[in-house]
Amino acid sequence: MKVFVVNCGSSSIKYQLFDMAGEKVLAKGLLERVGRPDAVLHHTVNGTRHERQMGVGDHSAGLKFILDILVDKQAGVIARIDEIEGVGHRVVHGGEQLTQSQLITQDVLQIIRRNAELAPLHNPPNLAGITAAMAALPNTPQVGVFDTAFLASLPPQAYRYAVPGAWYRQYHVRRYGFHGTSHRYVTLRAAEYLGKSPEQVNLVTVHMGNGCSMTAVAGGKAVDHSMGMTPLEGLMMGTRCGDVDPAVIFYMARNASLSMDQLDIALNQQSGLLGVSGVSNDMRDCLAAAQAGNDNAALAVQMFAYRVIKYVGAYYAILPSCDAVVLTGGVGENSLPVRRMICEGLQRLGAAPDAARNQACIGGKAGLITSDGSALKVMVIPTDEELMIARDTRAIVEKTGS
Ligand code: ADP
């Protein structure tokens, strides 16, 4: 079965086409600058990169452009578009109703539309991608895979905020969490690696990319998570502040005369590694600047690792036991110094850092980065959200017999 996975952002479309026999990626790519006359499509087949440019007015035109290249004589990988038997869509916010992957019906579309209030930057482009795919492939089942779904198992003491109850009941103010597809994928892979069934495994999973989040997993289910009602809470990120005293917001509004929009931009786009280092939101740049003697960059990296260590401590306390701390995402999969700092910071909990193993886990390789006999295992598992979406899509298409 061929499954097409689509991830629409406000001005981009990421995609992968899988042959589920062997879970092989036939083609993948990224269309950038959707909505502009100079859109560019980066399309990769078997390591060969193709680049095409053209004006792409909206997501619907963008998707058509991508579907065309999939059947293109030179850069294509299938003969006909109807070889695609299922389309899997990444949808950021499923809210309290869409708690598992499912076939997209008119009712589901309606709920995703309603949840746009909670994810105004993400759900509208996700919806645009779904409607475009439904129009382009009207006879192909479309499946929604929700970032929030894996976190739907959080108990109320973890998802409620200590704010007036009516805020939750009337305005749905609560922790939803994000990156759930990544946390679910690495949970399954870690269980496999540790020789346990997913229902037996207790983990702390740490996703460190541009956005960063952590999940406490007990018996294979999420029981706490660092991101909140929006992806701003929790760990320090590339440009997002993570945890901050909410009173800072009123203080800066009153004393620096910042508007709500300016505060939103400051905390979402000008904070995190970028805000503290003054150098970059990219961990590689911060590490290089720190190495070259930039104290602000060194502090930013230190704060980033410190907050991960602090959260692991908190999650360790609430879990029945901890089989491993799992690191993933661009930083978790690649950054030896950040991984070393995290392992060293976890020595009080029994982690015994292993420099050679840390060195060996790069380039997409999974493995332990603590020594044999370490009381707390720390491991690296490269994430693969697209594969998770493709697997869910296949399972749902097969189950519904669509
Ligand atoms: P996204 O959240 O956009 O999917 P990624 O998971 O690709 O992002 O992670 C991006 C982050 O990974 C950036 O901060 C980048 O600096 C970091 N990163 C990627 N490769 C390396 C590396 N070799 N060393 C350190 N950091 C890296």
Side-chain angles (χ1 to χ4, degrees), residues 14 179 207-211 238 273 281-285 287 329-338 385:
K14 273 196 214 163
H179 289 149
H207 180 108
M208 297 180 285
N210 278 311
L273 287 174
N281 63 317
D282 191 300
M283 182 56 89
R284 284 166 290 201
D285 299 337
L287 286 164
V331 176
E333 292 167 32
N334 298 296
S335 182
L336 307 190
V338 174
E385 288 156 286

mmCIF file with all atom_site columns, all heavy atoms in Angstrom, residues 14 179 207-211 238 273 281-285 287 329-338 385, ligand 1:
data_model
loop_
_atom_site.group_PDB
_atom_site.id
_atom_site.type_symbol
_atom_site.label_atom_id
_atom_site.label_alt_id
_atom_site.label_comp_id
_atom_site.label_asym_id
_atom_site.label_entity_id
_atom_site.label_seq_id
_atom_site.pdbx_PDB_ins_code
_atom_site.Cartn_x
_atom_site.Cartn_y
_atom_site.Cartn_z
_atom_site.occupancy
_atom_site.B_iso_or_equiv
_atom_site.pdbx_formal_charge
_atom_site.auth_seq_id
_atom_site.auth_comp_id
_atom_site.auth_asym_id
_atom_site.auth_atom_id
_atom_site.pdbx_PDB_model_num
ATOM   1   N N   . LYS A 1 14  ? 5.252  19.880 3.851  1.00 0.00 ? 14  LYS A N   1
ATOM   2   C CA  . LYS A 1 14  ? 6.239  18.789 3.898  1.00 0.00 ? 14  LYS A CA  1
ATOM   3   C C   . LYS A 1 14  ? 5.500  17.522 3.527  1.00 0.00 ? 14  LYS A C   1
ATOM   4   O O   . LYS A 1 14  ? 4.341  17.344 3.919  1.00 0.00 ? 14  LYS A O   1
ATOM   5   C CB  . LYS A 1 14  ? 6.760  18.604 5.322  1.00 0.00 ? 14  LYS A CB  1
ATOM   6   C CG  . LYS A 1 14  ? 7.933  19.459 5.688  1.00 0.00 ? 14  LYS A CG  1
ATOM   7   C CD  . LYS A 1 14  ? 8.559  18.876 6.961  1.00 0.00 ? 14  LYS A CD  1
ATOM   8   C CE  . LYS A 1 14  ? 9.114  19.967 7.822  1.00 0.00 ? 14  LYS A CE  1
ATOM   9   N NZ  . LYS A 1 14  ? 9.375  19.581 9.190  1.00 0.00 ? 14  LYS A NZ  1
ATOM   10  N N   . HIS A 1 179 ? 3.688  17.571 20.040 1.00 0.00 ? 179 HIS A N   1
ATOM   11  C CA  . HIS A 1 179 ? 4.741  16.606 19.667 1.00 0.00 ? 179 HIS A CA  1
ATOM   12  C C   . HIS A 1 179 ? 4.357  15.177 20.039 1.00 0.00 ? 179 HIS A C   1
ATOM   13  O O   . HIS A 1 179 ? 5.212  14.312 20.181 1.00 0.00 ? 179 HIS A O   1
ATOM   14  C CB  . HIS A 1 179 ? 6.081  16.878 20.401 1.00 0.00 ? 179 HIS A CB  1
ATOM   15  C CG  . HIS A 1 179 ? 6.821  18.093 19.976 1.00 0.00 ? 179 HIS A CG  1
ATOM   16  N ND1 . HIS A 1 179 ? 7.617  18.806 20.850 1.00 0.00 ? 179 HIS A ND1 1
ATOM   17  C CD2 . HIS A 1 179 ? 6.922  18.723 18.778 1.00 0.00 ? 179 HIS A CD2 1
ATOM   18  C CE1 . HIS A 1 179 ? 8.170  19.822 20.213 1.00 0.00 ? 179 HIS A CE1 1
ATOM   19  N NE2 . HIS A 1 179 ? 7.758  19.800 18.959 1.00 0.00 ? 179 HIS A NE2 1
ATOM   20  N N   . HIS A 1 207 ? 11.887 15.518 23.594 1.00 0.00 ? 207 HIS A N   1
ATOM   21  C CA  . HIS A 1 207 ? 11.987 15.927 22.188 1.00 0.00 ? 207 HIS A CA  1
ATOM   22  C C   . HIS A 1 207 ? 12.631 17.308 22.159 1.00 0.00 ? 207 HIS A C   1
ATOM   23  O O   . HIS A 1 207 ? 12.059 18.281 22.646 1.00 0.00 ? 207 HIS A O   1
ATOM   24  C CB  . HIS A 1 207 ? 10.597 15.956 21.541 1.00 0.00 ? 207 HIS A CB  1
ATOM   25  C CG  . HIS A 1 207 ? 10.627 16.375 20.106 1.00 0.00 ? 207 HIS A CG  1
ATOM   26  N ND1 . HIS A 1 207 ? 10.400 15.504 19.060 1.00 0.00 ? 207 HIS A ND1 1
ATOM   27  C CD2 . HIS A 1 207 ? 10.883 17.575 19.532 1.00 0.00 ? 207 HIS A CD2 1
ATOM   28  C CE1 . HIS A 1 207 ? 10.513 16.147 17.915 1.00 0.00 ? 207 HIS A CE1 1
ATOM   29  N NE2 . HIS A 1 207 ? 10.800 17.411 18.184 1.00 0.00 ? 207 HIS A NE2 1
ATOM   30  N N   . MET A 1 208 ? 13.844 17.398 21.581 1.00 0.00 ? 208 MET A N   1
ATOM   31  C CA  . MET A 1 208 ? 14.554 18.680 21.519 1.00 0.00 ? 208 MET A CA  1
ATOM   32  C C   . MET A 1 208 ? 14.833 19.034 20.069 1.00 0.00 ? 208 MET A C   1
ATOM   33  O O   . MET A 1 208 ? 15.801 18.559 19.466 1.00 0.00 ? 208 MET A O   1
ATOM   34  C CB  . MET A 1 208 ? 15.877 18.591 22.284 1.00 0.00 ? 208 MET A CB  1
ATOM   35  C CG  . MET A 1 208 ? 15.698 18.325 23.769 1.00 0.00 ? 208 MET A CG  1
ATOM   36  S SD  . MET A 1 208 ? 17.273 18.213 24.648 1.00 0.00 ? 208 MET A SD  1
ATOM   37  C CE  . MET A 1 208 ? 17.856 16.606 24.147 1.00 0.00 ? 208 MET A CE  1
ATOM   38  N N   . GLY A 1 209 ? 13.932 19.824 19.485 1.00 0.00 ? 209 GLY A N   1
ATOM   39  C CA  . GLY A 1 209 ? 14.139 20.328 18.124 1.00 0.00 ? 209 GLY A CA  1
ATOM   40  C C   . GLY A 1 209 ? 14.132 21.834 18.206 1.00 0.00 ? 209 GLY A C   1
ATOM   41  O O   . GLY A 1 209 ? 14.686 22.397 19.156 1.00 0.00 ? 209 GLY A O   1
ATOM   42  N N   . ASN A 1 210 ? 13.487 22.508 17.251 1.00 0.00 ? 210 ASN A N   1
ATOM   43  C CA  . ASN A 1 210 ? 13.278 23.944 17.431 1.00 0.00 ? 210 ASN A CA  1
ATOM   44  C C   . ASN A 1 210 ? 12.299 24.158 18.571 1.00 0.00 ? 210 ASN A C   1
ATOM   45  O O   . ASN A 1 210 ? 12.492 25.008 19.416 1.00 0.00 ? 210 ASN A O   1
ATOM   46  C CB  . ASN A 1 210 ? 12.752 24.564 16.140 1.00 0.00 ? 210 ASN A CB  1
ATOM   47  C CG  . ASN A 1 210 ? 13.889 24.843 15.193 1.00 0.00 ? 210 ASN A CG  1
ATOM   48  O OD1 . ASN A 1 210 ? 14.891 25.437 15.580 1.00 0.00 ? 210 ASN A OD1 1
ATOM   49  N ND2 . ASN A 1 210 ? 13.753 24.394 13.958 1.00 0.00 ? 210 ASN A ND2 1
ATOM   50  N N   . GLY A 1 211 ? 11.226 23.357 18.567 1.00 0.00 ? 211 GLY A N   1
ATOM   51  C CA  . GLY A 1 211 ? 10.350 23.297 19.734 1.00 0.00 ? 211 GLY A CA  1
ATOM   52  C C   . GLY A 1 211 ? 10.823 22.142 20.600 1.00 0.00 ? 211 GLY A C   1
ATOM   53  O O   . GLY A 1 211 ? 11.367 21.162 20.081 1.00 0.00 ? 211 GLY A O   1
ATOM   54  N N   . GLY A 1 238 ? 14.121 27.014 20.815 1.00 0.00 ? 238 GLY A N   1
ATOM   55  C CA  . GLY A 1 238 ? 14.922 27.851 19.921 1.00 0.00 ? 238 GLY A CA  1
ATOM   56  C C   . GLY A 1 238 ? 14.594 29.332 20.094 1.00 0.00 ? 238 GLY A C   1
ATOM   57  O O   . GLY A 1 238 ? 15.470 30.149 20.348 1.00 0.00 ? 238 GLY A O   1
ATOM   58  N N   . LEU A 1 273 ? 16.755 30.170 23.172 1.00 0.00 ? 273 LEU A N   1
ATOM   59  C CA  . LEU A 1 273 ? 18.194 30.246 22.862 1.00 0.00 ? 273 LEU A CA  1
ATOM   60  C C   . LEU A 1 273 ? 18.529 31.584 22.215 1.00 0.00 ? 273 LEU A C   1
ATOM   61  O O   . LEU A 1 273 ? 19.537 32.208 22.543 1.00 0.00 ? 273 LEU A O   1
ATOM   62  C CB  . LEU A 1 273 ? 18.582 29.118 21.888 1.00 0.00 ? 273 LEU A CB  1
ATOM   63  C CG  . LEU A 1 273 ? 18.640 27.693 22.430 1.00 0.00 ? 273 LEU A CG  1
ATOM   64  C CD1 . LEU A 1 273 ? 18.894 26.714 21.279 1.00 0.00 ? 273 LEU A CD1 1
ATOM   65  C CD2 . LEU A 1 273 ? 19.713 27.534 23.501 1.00 0.00 ? 273 LEU A CD2 1
ATOM   66  N N   . ASN A 1 281 ? 18.863 31.044 17.208 1.00 0.00 ? 281 ASN A N   1
ATOM   67  C CA  . ASN A 1 281 ? 17.940 30.050 17.774 1.00 0.00 ? 281 ASN A CA  1
ATOM   68  C C   . ASN A 1 281 ? 18.465 28.639 17.526 1.00 0.00 ? 281 ASN A C   1
ATOM   69  O O   . ASN A 1 281 ? 17.864 27.662 17.937 1.00 0.00 ? 281 ASN A O   1
ATOM   70  C CB  . ASN A 1 281 ? 16.559 30.188 17.126 1.00 0.00 ? 281 ASN A CB  1
ATOM   71  C CG  . ASN A 1 281 ? 16.603 29.889 15.636 1.00 0.00 ? 281 ASN A CG  1
ATOM   72  O OD1 . ASN A 1 281 ? 17.514 30.332 14.951 1.00 0.00 ? 281 ASN A OD1 1
ATOM   73  N ND2 . ASN A 1 281 ? 15.642 29.140 15.143 1.00 0.00 ? 281 ASN A ND2 1
ATOM   74  N N   . ASP A 1 282 ? 19.569 28.550 16.792 1.00 0.00 ? 282 ASP A N   1
ATOM   75  C CA  . ASP A 1 282 ? 20.092 27.242 16.385 1.00 0.00 ? 282 ASP A CA  1
ATOM   76  C C   . ASP A 1 282 ? 21.156 26.784 17.381 1.00 0.00 ? 282 ASP A C   1
ATOM   77  O O   . ASP A 1 282 ? 22.118 27.506 17.640 1.00 0.00 ? 282 ASP A O   1
ATOM   78  C CB  . ASP A 1 282 ? 20.683 27.365 14.974 1.00 0.00 ? 282 ASP A CB  1
ATOM   79  C CG  . ASP A 1 282 ? 21.000 26.010 14.378 1.00 0.00 ? 282 ASP A CG  1
ATOM   80  O OD1 . ASP A 1 282 ? 21.813 25.263 14.960 1.00 0.00 ? 282 ASP A OD1 1
ATOM   81  O OD2 . ASP A 1 282 ? 20.424 25.688 13.321 1.00 0.00 ? 282 ASP A OD2 1
ATOM   82  N N   . MET A 1 283 ? 20.977 25.596 17.925 1.00 0.00 ? 283 MET A N   1
ATOM   83  C CA  . MET A 1 283 ? 21.901 25.092 18.938 1.00 0.00 ? 283 MET A CA  1
ATOM   84  C C   . MET A 1 283 ? 23.338 25.041 18.421 1.00 0.00 ? 283 MET A C   1
ATOM   85  O O   . MET A 1 283 ? 24.277 25.333 19.164 1.00 0.00 ? 283 MET A O   1
ATOM   86  C CB  . MET A 1 283 ? 21.428 23.705 19.395 1.00 0.00 ? 283 MET A CB  1
ATOM   87  C CG  . MET A 1 283 ? 22.266 23.087 20.476 1.00 0.00 ? 283 MET A CG  1
ATOM   88  S SD  . MET A 1 283 ? 22.416 24.125 21.950 1.00 0.00 ? 283 MET A SD  1
ATOM   89  C CE  . MET A 1 283 ? 21.006 23.620 22.908 1.00 0.00 ? 283 MET A CE  1
ATOM   90  N N   . ARG A 1 284 ? 23.521 24.693 17.146 1.00 0.00 ? 284 ARG A N   1
ATOM   91  C CA  . ARG A 1 284 ? 24.887 24.624 16.606 1.00 0.00 ? 284 ARG A CA  1
ATOM   92  C C   . ARG A 1 284 ? 25.586 25.973 16.707 1.00 0.00 ? 284 ARG A C   1
ATOM   93  O O   . ARG A 1 284 ? 26.745 26.061 17.098 1.00 0.00 ? 284 ARG A O   1
ATOM   94  C CB  . ARG A 1 284 ? 24.872 24.181 15.138 1.00 0.00 ? 284 ARG A CB  1
ATOM   95  C CG  . ARG A 1 284 ? 24.610 22.716 14.980 1.00 0.00 ? 284 ARG A CG  1
ATOM   96  C CD  . ARG A 1 284 ? 24.270 22.379 13.564 1.00 0.00 ? 284 ARG A CD  1
ATOM   97  N NE  . ARG A 1 284 ? 22.944 22.912 13.234 1.00 0.00 ? 284 ARG A NE  1
ATOM   98  C CZ  . ARG A 1 284 ? 22.191 22.480 12.245 1.00 0.00 ? 284 ARG A CZ  1
ATOM   99  N NH1 . ARG A 1 284 ? 22.632 21.533 11.466 1.00 0.00 ? 284 ARG A NH1 1
ATOM   100 N NH2 . ARG A 1 284 ? 21.003 22.988 12.016 1.00 0.00 ? 284 ARG A NH2 1
ATOM   101 N N   . ASP A 1 285 ? 24.857 27.059 16.357 1.00 0.00 ? 285 ASP A N   1
ATOM   102 C CA  . ASP A 1 285 ? 25.438 28.400 16.414 1.00 0.00 ? 285 ASP A CA  1
ATOM   103 C C   . ASP A 1 285 ? 25.747 28.782 17.856 1.00 0.00 ? 285 ASP A C   1
ATOM   104 O O   . ASP A 1 285 ? 26.777 29.401 18.129 1.00 0.00 ? 285 ASP A O   1
ATOM   105 C CB  . ASP A 1 285 ? 24.470 29.443 15.830 1.00 0.00 ? 285 ASP A CB  1
ATOM   106 C CG  . ASP A 1 285 ? 24.151 29.173 14.376 1.00 0.00 ? 285 ASP A CG  1
ATOM   107 O OD1 . ASP A 1 285 ? 24.962 28.501 13.704 1.00 0.00 ? 285 ASP A OD1 1
ATOM   108 O OD2 . ASP A 1 285 ? 23.084 29.629 13.915 1.00 0.00 ? 285 ASP A OD2 1
ATOM   109 N N   . LEU A 1 287 ? 26.418 26.781 20.375 1.00 0.00 ? 287 LEU A N   1
ATOM   110 C CA  . LEU A 1 287 ? 27.574 26.013 20.852 1.00 0.00 ? 287 LEU A CA  1
ATOM   111 C C   . LEU A 1 287 ? 28.870 26.588 20.284 1.00 0.00 ? 287 LEU A C   1
ATOM   112 O O   . LEU A 1 287 ? 29.867 26.735 21.000 1.00 0.00 ? 287 LEU A O   1
ATOM   113 C CB  . LEU A 1 287 ? 27.431 24.536 20.459 1.00 0.00 ? 287 LEU A CB  1
ATOM   114 C CG  . LEU A 1 287 ? 26.407 23.742 21.269 1.00 0.00 ? 287 LEU A CG  1
ATOM   115 C CD1 . LEU A 1 287 ? 26.064 22.426 20.567 1.00 0.00 ? 287 LEU A CD1 1
ATOM   116 C CD2 . LEU A 1 287 ? 26.913 23.471 22.687 1.00 0.00 ? 287 LEU A CD2 1
ATOM   117 N N   . GLY A 1 329 ? 14.842 14.349 18.527 1.00 0.00 ? 329 GLY A N   1
ATOM   118 C CA  . GLY A 1 329 ? 14.773 15.667 17.885 1.00 0.00 ? 329 GLY A CA  1
ATOM   119 C C   . GLY A 1 329 ? 16.174 16.095 17.446 1.00 0.00 ? 329 GLY A C   1
ATOM   120 O O   . GLY A 1 329 ? 17.167 15.440 17.799 1.00 0.00 ? 329 GLY A O   1
ATOM   121 N N   . GLY A 1 330 ? 16.253 17.160 16.669 1.00 0.00 ? 330 GLY A N   1
ATOM   122 C CA  . GLY A 1 330 ? 17.536 17.599 16.094 1.00 0.00 ? 330 GLY A CA  1
ATOM   123 C C   . GLY A 1 330 ? 18.657 17.702 17.111 1.00 0.00 ? 330 GLY A C   1
ATOM   124 O O   . GLY A 1 330 ? 19.774 17.235 16.864 1.00 0.00 ? 330 GLY A O   1
ATOM   125 N N   . VAL A 1 331 ? 18.382 18.293 18.279 1.00 0.00 ? 331 VAL A N   1
ATOM   126 C CA  . VAL A 1 331 ? 19.423 18.444 19.307 1.00 0.00 ? 331 VAL A CA  1
ATOM   127 C C   . VAL A 1 331 ? 19.695 17.092 19.971 1.00 0.00 ? 331 VAL A C   1
ATOM   128 O O   . VAL A 1 331 ? 20.850 16.679 20.129 1.00 0.00 ? 331 VAL A O   1
ATOM   129 C CB  . VAL A 1 331 ? 19.002 19.504 20.364 1.00 0.00 ? 331 VAL A CB  1
ATOM   130 C CG1 . VAL A 1 331 ? 20.033 19.586 21.478 1.00 0.00 ? 331 VAL A CG1 1
ATOM   131 C CG2 . VAL A 1 331 ? 18.797 20.859 19.707 1.00 0.00 ? 331 VAL A CG2 1
ATOM   132 N N   . GLY A 1 332 ? 18.645 16.379 20.327 1.00 0.00 ? 332 GLY A N   1
ATOM   133 C CA  . GLY A 1 332 ? 18.810 15.090 20.996 1.00 0.00 ? 332 GLY A CA  1
ATOM   134 C C   . GLY A 1 332 ? 19.522 14.063 20.132 1.00 0.00 ? 332 GLY A C   1
ATOM   135 O O   . GLY A 1 332 ? 20.287 13.234 20.621 1.00 0.00 ? 332 GLY A O   1
ATOM   136 N N   . GLU A 1 333 ? 19.299 14.129 18.826 1.00 0.00 ? 333 GLU A N   1
ATOM   137 C CA  . GLU A 1 333 ? 19.887 13.132 17.924 1.00 0.00 ? 333 GLU A CA  1
ATOM   138 C C   . GLU A 1 333 ? 21.309 13.477 17.502 1.00 0.00 ? 333 GLU A C   1
ATOM   139 O O   . GLU A 1 333 ? 22.042 12.619 17.035 1.00 0.00 ? 333 GLU A O   1
ATOM   140 C CB  . GLU A 1 333 ? 19.011 12.989 16.670 1.00 0.00 ? 333 GLU A CB  1
ATOM   141 C CG  . GLU A 1 333 ? 17.676 12.355 16.977 1.00 0.00 ? 333 GLU A CG  1
ATOM   142 C CD  . GLU A 1 333 ? 16.675 12.477 15.837 1.00 0.00 ? 333 GLU A CD  1
ATOM   143 O OE1 . GLU A 1 333 ? 17.101 12.486 14.669 1.00 0.00 ? 333 GLU A OE1 1
ATOM   144 O OE2 . GLU A 1 333 ? 15.470 12.578 16.119 1.00 0.00 ? 333 GLU A OE2 1
ATOM   145 N N   . ASN A 1 334 ? 21.676 14.765 17.638 1.00 0.00 ? 334 ASN A N   1
ATOM   146 C CA  . ASN A 1 334 ? 22.953 15.196 17.061 1.00 0.00 ? 334 ASN A CA  1
ATOM   147 C C   . ASN A 1 334 ? 23.937 15.893 17.983 1.00 0.00 ? 334 ASN A C   1
ATOM   148 O O   . ASN A 1 334 ? 25.121 15.931 17.667 1.00 0.00 ? 334 ASN A O   1
ATOM   149 C CB  . ASN A 1 334 ? 22.690 16.168 15.902 1.00 0.00 ? 334 ASN A CB  1
ATOM   150 C CG  . ASN A 1 334 ? 21.905 15.529 14.790 1.00 0.00 ? 334 ASN A CG  1
ATOM   151 O OD1 . ASN A 1 334 ? 22.382 14.590 14.163 1.00 0.00 ? 334 ASN A OD1 1
ATOM   152 N ND2 . ASN A 1 334 ? 20.691 15.993 14.567 1.00 0.00 ? 334 ASN A ND2 1
ATOM   153 N N   . SER A 1 335 ? 23.444 16.497 19.053 1.00 0.00 ? 335 SER A N   1
ATOM   154 C CA  . SER A 1 335 ? 24.353 17.376 19.789 1.00 0.00 ? 335 SER A CA  1
ATOM   155 C C   . SER A 1 335 ? 25.049 16.650 20.942 1.00 0.00 ? 335 SER A C   1
ATOM   156 O O   . SER A 1 335 ? 24.489 16.470 22.026 1.00 0.00 ? 335 SER A O   1
ATOM   157 C CB  . SER A 1 335 ? 23.590 18.587 20.325 1.00 0.00 ? 335 SER A CB  1
ATOM   158 O OG  . SER A 1 335 ? 24.516 19.413 20.983 1.00 0.00 ? 335 SER A OG  1
ATOM   159 N N   . LEU A 1 336 ? 26.295 16.243 20.701 1.00 0.00 ? 336 LEU A N   1
ATOM   160 C CA  . LEU A 1 336 ? 27.050 15.511 21.723 1.00 0.00 ? 336 LEU A CA  1
ATOM   161 C C   . LEU A 1 336 ? 27.225 16.343 22.992 1.00 0.00 ? 336 LEU A C   1
ATOM   162 O O   . LEU A 1 336 ? 27.028 15.824 24.098 1.00 0.00 ? 336 LEU A O   1
ATOM   163 C CB  . LEU A 1 336 ? 28.419 15.077 21.189 1.00 0.00 ? 336 LEU A CB  1
ATOM   164 C CG  . LEU A 1 336 ? 28.463 14.300 19.876 1.00 0.00 ? 336 LEU A CG  1
ATOM   165 C CD1 . LEU A 1 336 ? 29.860 13.747 19.631 1.00 0.00 ? 336 LEU A CD1 1
ATOM   166 C CD2 . LEU A 1 336 ? 27.476 13.153 19.885 1.00 0.00 ? 336 LEU A CD2 1
ATOM   167 N N   . PRO A 1 337 ? 27.605 17.658 22.900 1.00 0.00 ? 337 PRO A N   1
ATOM   168 C CA  . PRO A 1 337 ? 27.814 18.407 24.140 1.00 0.00 ? 337 PRO A CA  1
ATOM   169 C C   . PRO A 1 337 ? 26.547 18.550 24.983 1.00 0.00 ? 337 PRO A C   1
ATOM   170 O O   . PRO A 1 337 ? 26.601 18.441 26.204 1.00 0.00 ? 337 PRO A O   1
ATOM   171 C CB  . PRO A 1 337 ? 28.294 19.790 23.680 1.00 0.00 ? 337 PRO A CB  1
ATOM   172 C CG  . PRO A 1 337 ? 28.553 19.697 22.238 1.00 0.00 ? 337 PRO A CG  1
ATOM   173 C CD  . PRO A 1 337 ? 27.951 18.440 21.708 1.00 0.00 ? 337 PRO A CD  1
ATOM   174 N N   . VAL A 1 338 ? 25.392 18.776 24.322 1.00 0.00 ? 338 VAL A N   1
ATOM   175 C CA  . VAL A 1 338 ? 24.156 18.942 25.103 1.00 0.00 ? 338 VAL A CA  1
ATOM   176 C C   . VAL A 1 338 ? 23.794 17.608 25.757 1.00 0.00 ? 338 VAL A C   1
ATOM   177 O O   . VAL A 1 338 ? 23.413 17.550 26.927 1.00 0.00 ? 338 VAL A O   1
ATOM   178 C CB  . VAL A 1 338 ? 23.005 19.478 24.213 1.00 0.00 ? 338 VAL A CB  1
ATOM   179 C CG1 . VAL A 1 338 ? 21.694 19.505 24.969 1.00 0.00 ? 338 VAL A CG1 1
ATOM   180 C CG2 . VAL A 1 338 ? 23.349 20.871 23.694 1.00 0.00 ? 338 VAL A CG2 1
ATOM   181 N N   . GLU A 1 385 ? 8.216  11.000 12.863 1.00 0.00 ? 385 GLU A N   1
ATOM   182 C CA  . GLU A 1 385 ? 6.779  11.287 12.960 1.00 0.00 ? 385 GLU A CA  1
ATOM   183 C C   . GLU A 1 385 ? 6.042  10.873 11.688 1.00 0.00 ? 385 GLU A C   1
ATOM   184 O O   . GLU A 1 385 ? 4.905  10.404 11.735 1.00 0.00 ? 385 GLU A O   1
ATOM   185 C CB  . GLU A 1 385 ? 6.573  12.777 13.228 1.00 0.00 ? 385 GLU A CB  1
ATOM   186 C CG  . GLU A 1 385 ? 6.969  13.171 14.646 1.00 0.00 ? 385 GLU A CG  1
ATOM   187 C CD  . GLU A 1 385 ? 7.343  14.623 14.790 1.00 0.00 ? 385 GLU A CD  1
ATOM   188 O OE1 . GLU A 1 385 ? 8.451  14.999 14.339 1.00 0.00 ? 385 GLU A OE1 1
ATOM   189 O OE2 . GLU A 1 385 ? 6.544  15.394 15.340 1.00 0.00 ? 385 GLU A OE2 1
HETATM 190 P P1  . ADP B 2 .   ? 12.153 20.946 14.112 1.00 0.00 ? 1   ADP B P1  1
HETATM 191 O O1  . ADP B 2 .   ? 11.658 21.124 15.496 1.00 0.00 ? 1   ADP B O1  1
HETATM 192 O O2  . ADP B 2 .   ? 12.000 22.174 13.268 1.00 0.00 ? 1   ADP B O2  1
HETATM 193 O O3  . ADP B 2 .   ? 11.730 19.653 13.435 1.00 0.00 ? 1   ADP B O3  1
HETATM 194 P P2  . ADP B 2 .   ? 14.767 19.686 14.388 1.00 0.00 ? 1   ADP B P2  1
HETATM 195 O O4  . ADP B 2 .   ? 14.242 18.511 15.129 1.00 0.00 ? 1   ADP B O4  1
HETATM 196 O O5  . ADP B 2 .   ? 15.371 19.484 13.068 1.00 0.00 ? 1   ADP B O5  1
HETATM 197 O O6  . ADP B 2 .   ? 13.730 20.873 14.297 1.00 0.00 ? 1   ADP B O6  1
HETATM 198 O O7  . ADP B 2 .   ? 15.858 20.360 15.343 1.00 0.00 ? 1   ADP B O7  1
HETATM 199 C C1  . ADP B 2 .   ? 16.464 21.579 15.071 1.00 0.00 ? 1   ADP B C1  1
HETATM 200 C C2  . ADP B 2 .   ? 17.522 21.823 16.117 1.00 0.00 ? 1   ADP B C2  1
HETATM 201 O O8  . ADP B 2 .   ? 18.478 20.751 16.050 1.00 0.00 ? 1   ADP B O8  1
HETATM 202 C C3  . ADP B 2 .   ? 18.325 23.116 15.887 1.00 0.00 ? 1   ADP B C3  1
HETATM 203 O O9  . ADP B 2 .   ? 18.477 23.831 17.111 1.00 0.00 ? 1   ADP B O9  1
HETATM 204 C C4  . ADP B 2 .   ? 19.662 22.592 15.416 1.00 0.00 ? 1   ADP B C4  1
HETATM 205 O O10 . ADP B 2 .   ? 20.690 23.419 15.854 1.00 0.00 ? 1   ADP B O10 1
HETATM 206 C C5  . ADP B 2 .   ? 19.768 21.288 16.145 1.00 0.00 ? 1   ADP B C5  1
HETATM 207 N N1  . ADP B 2 .   ? 20.781 20.443 15.508 1.00 0.00 ? 1   ADP B N1  1
HETATM 208 C C6  . ADP B 2 .   ? 20.726 19.793 14.332 1.00 0.00 ? 1   ADP B C6  1
HETATM 209 N N2  . ADP B 2 .   ? 21.921 19.193 14.075 1.00 0.00 ? 1   ADP B N2  1
HETATM 210 C C7  . ADP B 2 .   ? 22.730 19.477 15.114 1.00 0.00 ? 1   ADP B C7  1
HETATM 211 C C8  . ADP B 2 .   ? 24.076 19.172 15.466 1.00 0.00 ? 1   ADP B C8  1
HETATM 212 N N3  . ADP B 2 .   ? 24.834 18.418 14.674 1.00 0.00 ? 1   ADP B N3  1
HETATM 213 N N4  . ADP B 2 .   ? 24.559 19.643 16.634 1.00 0.00 ? 1   ADP B N4  1
HETATM 214 C C9  . ADP B 2 .   ? 23.794 20.405 17.442 1.00 0.00 ? 1   ADP B C9  1
HETATM 215 N N5  . ADP B 2 .   ? 22.525 20.729 17.185 1.00 0.00 ? 1   ADP B N5  1
HETATM 216 C C10 . ADP B 2 .   ? 21.998 20.277 16.044 1.00 0.00 ? 1   ADP B C10 1
#
